[in-house]
Amino acid sequence: MKYSAAEMMTIAAARKIKDGDRVFVGIGMPNLACNLAMRLNAPNIEMIYEAGVIGANPSRLPLSIGDPCLVTGATSVCSMFDVFTFYLQRGLVDIGFLGAAQVDKYGNLNSTVIGDYDDPKVRLAGSGGACDIASLARQVFILLPHQPRRLPEKVDFITSPGFIGGRRERERLGLPGGGPTVVITDKGILEFDEEGEMVLVSIHPGVELEDVKANTGWDLKVSPSLTVTDPPTERELAILREELDPKGIYLKRGD
Amino acid sequence: MKYSAAEMMTIAAARKIKDGDRVFVGIGMPNLACNLAMRLNAPNIEMIYEAGVIGANPSRLPLSIGDPCLVTGATSVCSMFDVFTFYLQRGLVDIGFLGAAQVDKYGNLNSTVIGDYDDPKVRLAGSGGACDIASLARQVFILLPHQPRRLPEKVDFITSPGFIGGRRERERLGLPGGGPTVVITDKGILEFDEEGEMVLVSIHPGVELEDVKANTGWDLKVSPSLTVTDPPTERELAILREELDPKGIYLKRGD
Amino acid sequence: MMSLAEAVDRLVEDGDTVYLAGFTHLIPFAAGHEIIRQGKKDLTLCRATPDLIYDQMIAAGCARKVVFSWAGNPGVGLLRSFRKKAEAKEIELEEYTHYGMVARLWAGATNLPFFPLRSNIGSDLPAHNPNIKTVTCPYTGQVLSTVPALNPDVAVIHAQRADAQGNAHIWGIIGEQREAAFAARKVIITCEEIVSSEVIKSDPNRTLIPGFLVDAVVEEPWAAHPSYVQGYYDRDNDFYLEWDRISRSEEDLRAWLDEWVYGVSGRREYMARFGAERILKLRVNSQYSVPINLGSYR
Amino acid sequence: MMSLAEAVDRLVEDGDTVYLAGFTHLIPFAAGHEIIRQGKKDLTLCRATPDLIYDQMIAAGCARKVVFSWAGNPGVGLLRSFRKKAEAKEIELEEYTHYGMVARLWAGATNLPFFPLRSNIGSDLPAHNPNIKTVTCPYTGQVLSTVPALNPDVAVIHAQRADAQGNAHIWGIIGEQREAAFAARKVIITCEEIVSSEVIKSDPNRTLIPGFLVDAVVEEPWAAHPSYVQGYYDRDNDFYLEWDRISRSEEDLRAWLDEWVYGVSGRREYMARFGAERILKLRVNSQYSVPINLGSYR
């Protein structure tokens, strides 16, 4: 069965979610990954949205992070201030999903500017809740396409801290959250070693190691126990395509 | 028409409330004074209770500060934390009513202990919201019986700051609220001079100046323009007795 | 879902710091009585307003320390057991203002180590409580008072309605219930009625406590008597007055505890003894909110 | 109660710091358009999420500065006018995280000069924003980041229902509306419907903004389009996509402003031009909350 790189990413992310996890969700791929996990490996996860929605139960695919379908039938809705203080800062979020324009080898994320902050080549949207999630969620899952310009050795601007200059630096700063635990790209899965540096631990089926390395902006570490990601199962793809994104709004199909 | 000292106090307090004032209310006399003012000189006051009730419209005489009759039909109800932050600290309370076991000549209030804090003769209830009201309300109205032990030169313990050691000391500490503006006793009405010291400005009908001075714990200043308090009008007494406290729960009758 | 006896047995340990929440409204008396019945001791009892429930727990010997801001019998006078043991130094006291107490819980609930507030300064309280400190504003240079975060071991909250997962709707005076639940390590919810999740989800803005914080959910009607539950029953003001008389003498107090706490197995028996007449006296007529439309989005 | 044109004329001045509140939900587009129509300028536009409304106001030349945390077209991409003027340095930017922005408003709403938070540290944001500072916890010695209070000159809030005094019920995503109203010196409420005070008072826990804070109350149905109002109408996602196309060219953008902002007298005409078909497309079916019983206490 054919599948797209986006489908592989979504499915790989879903598999990393444990039952009972409280997940701070964005729209698009993270939302699909959570919904997929709920139908398979993690029926009891709790989805929290930065708009202040706890335990969303959307009747349709939400098109924005504040979609009204997230509210109707949700367990609880609070203010933005409350979601950042009572939930995120309180340590109640197990997993925060983040994407970014750039991620560097220590898992630092840039969604602010390409180029110099005061004279940018591209002015991006800025942190939003990303820096807060990166600082406060127990784990951060990063999703992004695997391209050299998206994965530079050093980001142009640290919007959201990963391990900054290494795991010890994050510890020294006393950030409550544990930092990034996994990066899922269209080419593979990366984790962080004891220094806080990204290590390739799994390659998606059909991808060459050289291709991954060539598309990373630094000399990428590779795990001695590198594996190949299990391809999507029929069940995973069926749920994704038939139940979660039947119109293919978020995910291109592989067939 | 005869009236009691408690009725005189309540009516004198009601007259001091201006239309449109937002009043932080306790039960008993302050509640009666506000309700009386609403029916006479200040129809548009807003009653705020430390329980988090804004714009209460009680259908019966509330017997506690958190009486359910304060909620049904109120304009807004919020948490205690919110009433102290969004309302009181925000500066939205024009008048806070306070009583105390002791009040001294600078308007400092004690509701914590009689005697030494660590070895008290009498352990009282403590601050509750009193210190917060004294610190944050724009004006504080103090109601208490006129007795030497209630009005010592120096309170045993400052639970709630008036002018501390004088008006300049309060200013130096940067307390946002303006401090006490009036003390209403069963003998007269007292205000604060430019030093922040209590001055007798009005004597209730039938009370002798010597009696007031003898019942004050220090050499009480008397205003050169000392007046006699207007006695309760028939209308004031009628509303108080017939509408607000028909069972005489809070106020003894003068007849 | 479990019985209150089981919840208290499992979740409250000797020496714990506990917070029975509720400002005048929804005071979890049933849980307090169960704690007395199970003989829990050396507790640090935290509440802005100790109220009768802590006076009873103090009288019964549960408390080592009381952390509070106003220790009175609301609308009546002082708390006699509290006062007697405090004056005899048989319980330790730690004292704040109301704002200070709820700010401590709020900081605990939101994982801030402290909360800055514009009160306390000028009062003698900070001189007698080393936990009240100051911080300088990095923008204005102003000195603000601070209180430290409070994180109880156990919070008990009584709610009007909750689902079986503990998602709780609370209305009327909402006091410091939400802060207590978020600040505590363990949470017991008692409620007037367990309802279906659909009722809770029909009005998510009303859900002040999410079920995933909750360790035990107990359906316990009349659990707040002699305090009240908005829309369910009235405050038993007579008992607040009666307590002032009962707690005057050690003998009457023991007799009361024997009859109404030790002498019953739980709230059901307590209410049965309480009798139909007084139950009927506290009933309230209905007055419903105008519903909101959440909309069905497809 | 007055017209929106009158409210904006009276309460918004050139050079003001304004906060049009609402996270995705209840965005006060009608008020933003009225501000454009009246040619207000040199405004400091504050919003966590500038969204299309600030992109339109920036395009129309109202803004001198933008204070924000996420300047995107939600679910679509970037904001082209914002980005163009930011890159050309024609508007000044002051940037926070979402938590930082709402914490600034919260501090402003509660008269705290600053708010301490456990974010920002480790980010490059503080190095580029001197308003982000630090404070040391007096209990733990930990260094926390701080943001300063934000007190806008004017806040505009769109609510589902309010009474004539401005007491406002808001439900669904409540964003930062309440904080904005309490933080601002002047408050404009627009609402889908003015209701009797009895409706508001039937559910006081729902009243997030008390009328005494409010300087103008305006009944303005559909004032939030193309954003949505929970229970009243859906989000016009098509327009969010369309804006991405319109704002690509200066010509299309001018033509759009001419037709939909300058070319109408107010929201009623805007909706008339918008047409019945699209209005019907955004309608939602009803789904009501289960009412609560407040009780009648006598």
Side-chain angles (χ1 to χ4, degrees):
Chain A
M1 203 167 181
K2 284 186 181 173
Y3 53 89
S4 70
E7 286 173 333
M8 182 73 254
M9 283 173 77
T10 307
I11 289 164
R15 291 171 183 164
K16 294 275 176 195
I17 300 171
K18 290 201 192 62
D19 199 23
D21 278 345
R22 291 184 287 262
V23 191
F24 212 78
V25 195
I27 55 155
M29 217 179 269
N31 182 67
L32 291 171
C34 284
N35 276 289
L36 183 59
M38 279 176 88
R39 282 164 176 77
L40 292 168
N41 47 305
N44 302 301
I45 63 175
E46 196 88 42
M47 288 197 280
I48 302 179
Y49 289 80
E50 71 184 2
V53 180
I54 318 299
N57 191 20
S59 56
R60 69 181 185 199
L61 205 60
L63 291 174
S64 88
I65 207 166
D67 194 296
C69 74
L70 298 172
V71 167
T72 304
T75 301
S76 183
V77 176
C78 65
S79 70
M80 267 179 93
F81 183 68
D82 284 356
V83 89
F84 283 108
T85 51
F86 278 81
Y87 289 89
L88 193 55
Q89 187 170 276
R90 169 68 172 75
L92 293 176
V93 172
D94 296 306
I95 300 170
F97 275 99
L98 291 176
Q102 299 180 324
V103 180
D104 69 20
K105 68 176 179 179
Y106 291 119
N108 300 305
L109 301 106
N110 174 19
S111 50
T112 301
V113 286
I114 301 299
D116 182 59
Y117 184 79
D118 294 309
D119 192 14
K121 265 184 271 183
V122 184
R123 172 66 234 195
L124 303 166
S127 164
C131 173
D132 311 312
I133 294 166
S135 304
L136 297 164
R138 290 179 188 274
Q139 302 179 55
V140 171
F141 287 11
I142 298 171
L143 298 176
L144 88 167
H146 211 128
Q147 301 161 2
R149 67 184 181 91
R150 303 296 288 269
L151 289 157
E153 182 155 17
K154 212 169 164 355
V155 290
D156 293 359
F157 185 95
I158 301 183
T159 308
S160 310
F163 295 111
I164 306 131
R167 215 176 267 272
R168 270 186 304 272
E169 190 171 353
R170 185 174 171 110
E171 275 162 25
R172 190 177 52 74
L173 293 176
L175 293 173
T181 45
V182 67
V183 180
I184 297 168
T185 75
D186 50 345
K187 299 193 185 297
I189 300 174
L190 305 99
E191 292 176 359
F192 292 85
D193 68 11
E194 58 191 7
E195 303 297 317
E197 189 179 327
M198 226 183 269
V199 179
L200 183 69
V201 297
S202 186
I203 287 190
H204 296 333
V207 178
E208 297 298 319
L209 178 58
E210 276 321 296
D211 180 35
V212 180
K213 296 192 79 161
N215 278 287
T216 306
W218 67 91
D219 186 13
L220 179 64
K221 285 187 184 172
V222 179
S223 167
S225 52
L226 181 71
T227 57
V228 174
T229 314
D230 285 337
T233 64
E234 279 190 32
R235 184 136 180 255
E236 286 167 337
L237 283 174
I239 294 171
L240 210 49
R241 292 175 183 178
E242 285 153 36
E243 291 180 36
L244 300 180
D245 189 15
K247 292 180 192 158
I249 291 175
Y250 286 121
L251 298 179
K252 281 186 202 146
R253 298 288 150 80
D255 49 9
Chain B
M1 202 167 182
K2 283 189 180 170
Y3 55 88
S4 71
E7 287 173 332
M8 181 73 253
M9 282 173 79
T10 307
I11 289 164
R15 292 171 183 164
K16 293 275 177 194
I17 300 170
K18 290 201 191 64
D19 199 23
D21 277 345
R22 290 184 288 260
V23 191
F24 212 77
V25 195
I27 57 156
M29 214 178 270
N31 182 68
L32 291 172
C34 284
N35 275 289
L36 183 59
M38 277 176 88
R39 282 164 175 78
L40 292 168
N41 46 308
N44 302 302
I45 64 174
E46 196 88 40
M47 289 198 280
I48 303 179
Y49 289 80
E50 70 184 4
V53 179
I54 318 300
N57 190 19
S59 56
R60 69 181 185 199
L61 205 59
L63 291 175
S64 89
I65 207 167
D67 194 297
C69 74
L70 298 173
V71 168
T72 304
T75 301
S76 183
V77 175
C78 65
S79 71
M80 267 179 94
F81 182 68
D82 283 355
V83 90
F84 283 108
T85 51
F86 279 82
Y87 288 89
L88 193 54
Q89 186 170 276
R90 170 66 172 76
L92 293 176
V93 172
D94 296 307
I95 299 170
F97 275 99
L98 292 175
Q102 299 179 326
V103 180
D104 68 20
K105 68 175 177 179
Y106 291 119
N108 300 305
L109 300 106
N110 174 19
S111 50
T112 302
V113 286
I114 302 298
D116 182 61
Y117 184 79
D118 294 310
D119 192 15
K121 267 185 270 184
V122 185
R123 172 66 234 196
L124 304 167
S127 164
C131 173
D132 310 312
I133 294 165
S135 304
L136 296 165
R138 289 179 188 274
Q139 303 180 55
V140 171
F141 286 11
I142 299 170
L143 298 175
L144 89 167
H146 212 128
Q147 301 161 3
R149 66 183 183 94
R150 303 295 290 269
L151 289 157
E153 182 155 17
K154 213 169 159 0
V155 290
D156 293 0
F157 185 95
I158 301 183
T159 308
S160 310
F163 295 110
I164 307 133
R167 216 175 267 272
R168 269 186 304 272
E169 191 170 354
R170 184 173 172 112
E171 274 162 25
R172 191 176 53 74
L173 293 175
L175 293 174
T181 45
V182 67
V183 180
I184 297 168
T185 76
D186 49 345
K187 299 195 185 295
I189 300 173
L190 305 99
E191 292 176 357
F192 293 86
D193 68 11
E194 58 192 7
E195 303 297 318
E197 189 179 329
M198 224 183 270
V199 180
L200 183 69
V201 298
S202 185
I203 286 190
H204 296 332
V207 178
E208 297 297 320
L209 178 59
E210 277 319 299
D211 180 34
V212 180
K213 295 193 80 162
N215 277 286
T216 305
W218 67 91
D219 185 14
L220 179 63
K221 285 188 183 172
V222 178
S223 168
S225 52
L226 182 71
T227 58
V228 174
T229 314
D230 286 336
T233 64
E234 281 190 33
R235 183 135 181 255
E236 285 167 338
L237 283 173
I239 294 171
L240 210 48
R241 293 173 182 179
E242 286 153 36
E243 291 179 34
L244 301 180
D245 189 16
K247 294 179 192 159
I249 292 175
Y250 286 121
L251 299 179
K252 281 186 203 149
R253 297 289 151 79
D255 48 6
Chain C
M1 284 173 68
M2 54 180 95
S3 73
L4 184 52
E6 193 183 347
V8 167
D9 180 49
R10 280 200 204 171
L11 298 168
V12 183
E13 289 174 52
D14 289 348
D16 270 359
T17 296
V18 303
Y19 201 110
L20 272 56
F23 187 79
T24 319
H25 182 211
L26 292 167
I27 302 178
F29 272 90
H33 288 182
E34 186 58 37
I35 289 170
I36 295 175
R37 234 179 340 263
Q38 294 193 18
K40 304 288 181 185
K41 56 182 194 296
D42 294 328
L43 302 178
T44 294
L45 299 178
C46 309
R47 253 183 83 81
T49 54
D51 204 273
L52 306 195
I53 185 58
Y54 278 9
D55 210 40
Q56 293 168 356
M57 291 169 79
I58 292 164
C62 302
R64 185 186 71 72
K65 182 175 176 179
V66 182
V67 183
F68 73 105
S69 42
W70 192 80
N73 180 339
V76 180
L78 293 173
L79 294 173
R80 298 182 184 278
S81 301
F82 168 89
R83 185 179 157 187
K84 194 158 74 180
K85 295 227 181 178
E87 286 173 8
K89 299 195 182 70
E90 290 171 20
I91 47 170
E92 195 185 328
L93 302 185
E94 186 177 326
E95 185 166 10
Y96 297 87
T97 70
H98 270 354
Y99 184 12
M101 271 301 276
V102 295
R104 288 196 65 193
L105 269 187
W106 194 89
T110 61
N111 188 28
L112 274 185
F114 73 97
F115 190 85
L117 64 169
R118 296 186 187 268
S119 183
N120 289 329
I121 287 169
S123 164
D124 284 341
L125 268 176
H128 293 86
N129 183 344
N131 272 341
I132 302 176
K133 301 192 178 192
T134 59
V135 77
T136 302
C137 169
Y139 302 96
T140 61
Q142 285 170 292
V143 175
L144 283 88
S145 179
T146 61
V147 290
L150 174 60
N151 289 101
D153 294 307
V154 193
V156 184
I157 283 104
H158 188 61
Q160 277 109 336
R161 63 191 183 199
D163 66 16
Q165 286 71 48
N167 296 297
H169 276 186
I170 301 178
W171 62 90
I173 290 170
I174 53 176
E176 80 299 49
Q177 272 93 336
R178 186 179 184 214
E179 287 81 2
F182 277 83
R185 289 194 305 107
K186 296 171 282 181
V187 177
I188 299 173
I189 298 272
T190 61
C191 62
E192 287 297 316
E193 46 180 339
I194 299 276
V195 294
S196 77
S197 288
E198 281 61 47
V199 172
I200 299 298
K201 291 177 178 179
S202 81
D203 195 356
N205 294 104
R206 187 94 63 199
T207 311
L208 296 192
I209 300 168
F212 58 68
L213 288 180
V214 177
D215 297 280
V217 193
V218 181
E219 187 179 65
E220 195 73 295
W222 288 86
H225 176 271
S227 86
Y228 72 99
V229 176
Q230 191 85 37
Y232 289 73
Y233 45 91
D234 205 345
R235 187 170 188 260
D236 190 353
N237 285 307
D238 291 344
F239 185 80
Y240 276 81
L241 291 164
E242 213 176 309
W243 180 252
D244 195 55
R245 185 192 56 71
I246 294 163
S247 58
R248 243 174 249 265
S249 93
E250 191 63 21
E251 203 186 329
D252 289 351
L253 205 156
R254 290 297 132 198
W256 185 87
L257 285 172
D258 281 343
E259 181 175 1
W260 292 94
V261 182
Y262 299 116
V264 296
S265 60
R267 189 86 333 194
R268 192 169 286 269
E269 237 175 281
Y270 168 101
M271 289 312 297
R273 183 161 301 177
F274 188 59
E277 203 170 320
R278 252 174 125 178
I279 288 179
L280 290 173
K281 199 179 159 198
L282 299 175
R283 70 177 281 280
V284 294
N285 287 8
S286 295
Q287 187 163 324
Y288 289 101
S289 65
V290 174
I292 56 163
N293 185 4
L294 271 294
S296 164
Y297 291 84
R298 298 163 194 175
Chain D
M1 284 174 67
M2 53 180 96
S3 73
L4 184 52
E6 192 181 349
V8 167
D9 179 48
R10 279 202 205 168
L11 298 168
V12 183
E13 288 172 54
D14 289 350
D16 271 359
T17 296
V18 303
Y19 201 109
L20 271 57
F23 187 78
T24 318
H25 182 210
L26 292 168
I27 301 177
F29 272 90
H33 289 182
E34 187 57 38
I35 290 170
I36 295 175
R37 237 183 333 265
Q38 294 193 16
K40 304 287 181 185
K41 56 183 194 294
D42 294 328
L43 302 178
T44 294
L45 299 179
C46 308
R47 252 181 85 81
T49 54
D51 205 272
L52 305 196
I53 186 58
Y54 278 10
D55 209 40
Q56 293 168 358
M57 291 169 78
I58 290 165
C62 301
R64 186 184 71 72
K65 183 175 176 180
V66 182
V67 183
F68 74 104
S69 41
W70 192 79
N73 179 339
V76 179
L78 293 172
L79 294 173
R80 297 181 185 278
S81 301
F82 169 87
R83 186 179 156 187
K84 194 158 74 181
K85 294 228 181 177
E87 286 173 9
K89 300 193 181 71
E90 290 171 20
I91 47 171
E92 194 185 329
L93 303 186
E94 186 178 327
E95 184 165 10
Y96 297 88
T97 70
H98 270 355
Y99 183 13
M101 271 301 277
V102 295
R104 287 195 65 191
L105 268 187
W106 193 88
T110 62
N111 188 26
L112 274 184
F114 74 97
F115 190 84
L117 65 168
R118 296 186 186 269
S119 183
N120 289 330
I121 288 169
S123 164
D124 285 340
L125 268 175
H128 293 86
N129 183 344
N131 271 341
I132 302 177
K133 300 192 179 194
T134 60
V135 76
T136 302
C137 170
Y139 302 95
T140 61
Q142 286 170 291
V143 175
L144 282 88
S145 179
T146 61
V147 290
L150 173 61
N151 289 101
D153 294 306
V154 193
V156 184
I157 283 106
H158 188 60
Q160 276 109 336
R161 61 192 185 198
D163 66 16
Q165 286 71 49
N167 296 295
H169 276 186
I170 301 178
W171 61 89
I173 290 170
I174 54 176
E176 80 299 49
Q177 271 93 337
R178 185 176 183 218
E179 287 80 3
F182 277 82
R185 290 196 302 109
K186 296 172 282 181
V187 177
I188 298 172
I189 299 270
T190 62
C191 62
E192 287 298 316
E193 46 181 339
I194 299 276
V195 295
S196 77
S197 288
E198 281 60 46
V199 172
I200 300 298
K201 290 177 176 178
S202 80
D203 195 356
N205 293 106
R206 186 94 62 198
T207 311
L208 296 192
I209 299 168
F212 58 69
L213 288 179
V214 177
D215 297 279
V217 193
V218 181
E219 187 179 64
E220 195 74 294
W222 288 86
H225 177 270
S227 85
Y228 71 100
V229 175
Q230 191 85 38
Y232 289 73
Y233 46 90
D234 204 345
R235 187 170 186 263
D236 191 354
N237 285 306
D238 291 344
F239 185 79
Y240 277 80
L241 292 165
E242 213 175 308
W243 180 251
D244 196 55
R245 184 192 57 72
I246 293 165
S247 58
R248 242 174 249 264
S249 94
E250 191 64 24
E251 202 185 330
D252 289 350
L253 205 155
R254 290 296 132 198
W256 186 86
L257 285 172
D258 281 343
E259 180 175 1
W260 292 93
V261 182
Y262 299 116
V264 297
S265 61
R267 190 81 340 190
R268 192 169 286 270
E269 236 175 283
Y270 169 101
M271 289 312 297
R273 183 161 301 177
F274 188 59
E277 203 170 319
R278 252 173 126 178
I279 289 179
L280 289 173
K281 198 179 159 199
L282 299 175
R283 70 178 281 280
V284 293
N285 285 10
S286 295
Q287 186 163 325
Y288 289 101
S289 65
V290 173
I292 56 164
N293 184 5
L294 271 294
S296 164
Y297 291 84
R298 299 161 195 177

